[in-house]
Amino acid sequence: MDKTVQKIEAKKPLIPVRKKVCAYARVSSGKDEMLHSLSAQISYYSEYIQSRGDWLYVGVYADSAVTGTKDSRDEFQRMLTDCRNGKIDMIITKSISRFARNTVTLLQAVRELKELGVDVWFEKENIHSTSGDGELMLTILASFAQEESLSVSENCKWRIRHNYEEGIPNNFRIYGYDMKNHKLIVNEEEAEVVRKIFKMYTEGIGTYRIANYLNAHRIKAPKGDIWRASRINIILKNEKYIGDLLLQKVYSENHITKKKIVNSGELKQYYVSENHEPIVDKTTFDKVQKILELKNKKAPYVEPYEYRFKGGVFCGICGDRYTRKKVNSGTVSEKYVWKCHTYSHKGKKFCASRQIPDDVLMDMADEFDKEISKVIIYENNRVKFLFTDGSEVIKTWEINRKWTDEMKEKNYYNQRRRFL
């Protein structure tokens, strides 16, 4: 009997596929102890995930100083994007309240992740979102978490309003002062800037010019931002600089959105006189308020200009918006021009764009039968018209105005006065 030999091919060893795992952590305050807690959560989950041989560590997504009732958390949204891109198989989070306190937000996120095949493990409750009864348990527990958030919010509101009745402000940051033990203490360095702002305004210097002056002299604005006219305007109207307090100027819409709404009489307000050391004397403050009131009266309501460019008019140099302004033409009839917002408020140093007469721009626009969606003004007097059908046309215009020596000199001094 002949023997037979059968060759058996070697099987390739199966390489176990490791599950791609990340963690999500969050604290709702930027205080030191909270940030320490966030750091501890990140360290714990990093070590825990990497200790598992069947898991592939993706990372820890961590949001600080944001609440779980909001779905605009940057790291949370980045994590969802990575899940949609197939980078994550499972998410570990400490508890339901850390993931989201808003029931709707929680269920929307969990359902989307479930469709993507991503499991969420809530460690404290020991619930996996992909399990059979996972969604039912999450709905019940998330409702409790949301009610807890409402209870905390109402308790905080009661405490703050009780303090208002006693004339005690909530902790806040105001330029020119430091807050210590619920008391406003003058910050001399910033206070000098506040006094300078009030002095310049009483001397007839406008808010845009004041902002330009402070930026040009490298004086730091609140939160390290640049000075803007709107910020100057807020300072000029703030009663805190004469030592008084108007409490509850704004309030939160609800505990979920936490949107700040200006209090226009919906809730009680409390005015506290001589609460702290003033930075500006009352005579100067009252003078500024009268100037502000007078300027408001000088700006009567004007019927909106017929705006034929749906997307607006933009600068092709800096990208800012062009605005239509009335100019003193020296004639009885009114004259309007379009100017770049950056050039108007910061000067040629920031944008060397040209203004274009309104009648010139309208004449060019009237040549087209198609609907204009957007206009871009470039250098060398070029204008690009973009249409709603996706097409575009570039046209040029000529400057007919001839400058006399007297006009040039007048313009030079006007520019110097505006931009100091």
Side-chain angles (χ1 to χ4, degrees):
M1 182 178 179
D2 295 333
K3 63 178 180 180
T4 60
V5 178
Q6 184 179 359
K7 184 179 179 181
I8 301 174
E9 297 289 343
K11 291 183 179 179
K12 292 181 179 179
L14 294 176
I15 301 174
V17 178
R18 295 196 293 169
K19 186 180 289 186
K20 294 171 285 189
V21 180
C22 77
Y24 177 72
R26 177 187 64 82
V27 292
S28 56
S29 169
K31 293 181 180 179
D32 290 342
E33 58 270 24
M34 284 292 188
L35 294 176
H36 177 73
S37 170
L38 183 63
S39 176
Q41 289 182 57
I42 294 171
S43 298
Y44 166 73
Y45 284 119
S46 297
E47 292 176 8
Y48 177 64
I49 295 172
Q50 292 180 79
S51 67
R52 291 279 300 261
D54 55 339
W55 287 354
L56 179 64
Y57 176 67
V58 176
V60 177
Y61 300 81
D63 283 305
S64 63
V66 291
T67 68
T69 53
K70 295 184 178 181
D71 57 5
S72 58
R73 295 165 279 166
D74 292 338
E75 285 291 281
F76 185 80
Q77 294 301 326
R78 188 169 73 88
M79 180 180 68
L80 292 181
T81 300
D82 287 347
C83 289
R84 295 178 188 120
N85 293 332
K87 296 180 181 179
I88 300 169
D89 296 324
M90 188 171 81
I91 301 169
I92 303 175
T93 189
K94 184 178 180 181
S95 65
I96 292 172
S97 62
R98 292 298 90 194
F99 198 73
R101 290 191 182 216
N102 181 342
T103 306
V104 175
T105 300
L106 172 71
L107 293 179
Q108 284 177 343
V110 166
R111 284 169 182 169
E112 182 187 356
L113 292 170
K114 192 172 182 180
E115 289 178 3
L116 295 170
V118 179
D119 182 25
V120 185
W121 178 34
F122 300 92
E123 191 178 17
K124 181 181 176 182
E125 295 84 2
N126 194 22
I127 296 175
H128 284 267
S129 61
T130 54
S131 65
D133 57 353
E135 185 168 324
L136 174 62
M137 293 298 297
L138 287 172
T139 304
I140 296 170
L141 294 172
S143 298
F144 283 116
Q146 185 169 325
E147 286 303 311
E148 181 189 0
S149 175
L150 174 61
S151 176
V152 170
S153 175
E154 291 302 316
N155 288 338
C156 288
K157 285 181 182 177
W158 179 89
R159 175 181 57 78
I160 292 170
R161 288 170 185 168
H162 179 71
N163 286 343
Y164 285 163
E165 291 174 359
E166 299 294 324
I168 302 172
N170 193 26
N171 283 328
F172 55 80
R173 175 76 175 94
I174 175 172
Y175 189 81
Y177 289 97
D178 296 322
M179 176 69 83
K180 294 180 180 178
N181 299 323
H182 295 288
K183 291 187 180 292
L184 290 171
I185 309 299
V186 175
N187 180 316
E188 279 303 328
E189 183 180 351
E190 295 178 352
E192 279 302 312
V193 179
V194 173
R195 295 186 190 103
K196 180 73 174 177
I197 290 171
F198 274 86
K199 183 175 184 296
M200 291 176 74
Y201 196 76
T202 57
E203 292 172 351
I205 301 172
T207 54
Y208 281 109
R209 289 171 59 201
I210 294 173
N212 288 333
Y213 172 88
L214 296 176
N215 289 327
H217 286 73
R218 300 184 183 278
I219 296 172
K220 290 183 179 180
K223 298 181 181 178
D225 198 2
I226 64 169
W227 287 98
R228 292 181 173 83
S230 57
R231 170 58 61 183
I232 302 296
N233 205 46
I234 290 171
I235 287 176
L236 292 172
K237 293 179 179 179
N238 201 325
E239 79 292 335
K240 294 179 183 66
Y241 294 117
I242 56 170
D244 296 349
L245 281 180
L246 177 60
L247 302 176
Q248 201 152 255
K249 290 181 180 179
V250 296
Y251 62 94
S252 294
E253 183 180 42
N254 55 57
H255 74 290
I256 294 176
T257 64
K258 298 190 182 293
K259 179 182 177 182
K260 295 295 182 183
I261 297 176
V262 175
N263 185 3
S264 302
E266 294 85 359
L267 298 175
K268 291 180 181 179
Q269 291 184 317
Y270 305 89
Y271 196 92
V272 184
S273 301
E274 300 180 4
N275 177 75
H276 51 273
E277 182 183 350
I279 291 176
V280 179
D281 62 87
K282 197 171 188 306
T283 303
T284 302
F285 185 81
D286 290 342
K287 183 178 180 180
V288 166
Q289 305 318 301
K290 288 179 181 178
I291 296 172
L292 289 168
E293 185 180 352
L294 187 62
K295 285 197 172 185
N296 288 334
K297 287 182 179 178
K298 282 185 177 180
Y301 174 75
V302 179
E303 286 294 327
Y305 171 66
E306 291 238 359
Y307 208 58
R308 61 180 301 178
F309 311 124
K310 288 186 176 181
V313 182
F314 291 87
C315 177
I317 298 174
C318 71
D320 205 348
R321 188 180 289 271
Y322 261 66
T323 53
R324 183 174 179 266
K325 295 181 177 292
K326 182 179 178 181
V327 294
N328 183 9
S329 60
T331 61
V332 177
S333 61
E334 293 182 338
K335 185 175 180 181
Y336 291 88
V337 297
W338 290 82
K339 288 185 177 182
C340 171
H341 183 270
T342 300
Y343 173 80
S344 296
H345 297 131
K346 294 185 177 181
K348 192 173 182 180
K349 179 181 176 182
F350 292 88
C351 180
S353 57
R354 284 184 180 276
Q355 67 182 33
I356 178 172
D358 180 65
D359 55 353
V360 171
L361 185 60
M362 293 304 121
D363 286 345
M364 285 195 289
D366 288 340
E367 296 180 20
F368 306 113
D369 295 329
K370 295 184 287 186
E371 188 175 15
I372 300 168
S373 63
K374 187 177 179 180
V375 178
I376 304 175
I377 314 293
Y378 292 97
E379 53 192 343
N380 300 325
N381 304 338
R382 291 180 301 127
V383 183
K384 180 190 283 187
F385 292 90
L386 291 85
F387 304 96
T388 53
D389 63 2
S391 61
E392 57 184 54
V393 172
I394 295 179
K395 297 183 70 69
T396 58
W397 57 281
E398 295 183 3
I399 302 175
N400 297 321
R401 183 178 182 183
K402 294 182 179 179
W403 286 70
T404 64
D405 292 338
E406 183 182 352
M407 292 166 67
K408 290 179 181 177
E409 184 178 0
K410 183 178 179 181
N411 181 69
Y412 171 76
Y413 284 109
N414 282 339
Q415 292 297 319
R416 287 201 58 174
R417 284 186 67 240
R418 285 176 64 205
F419 301 113
L420 296 173

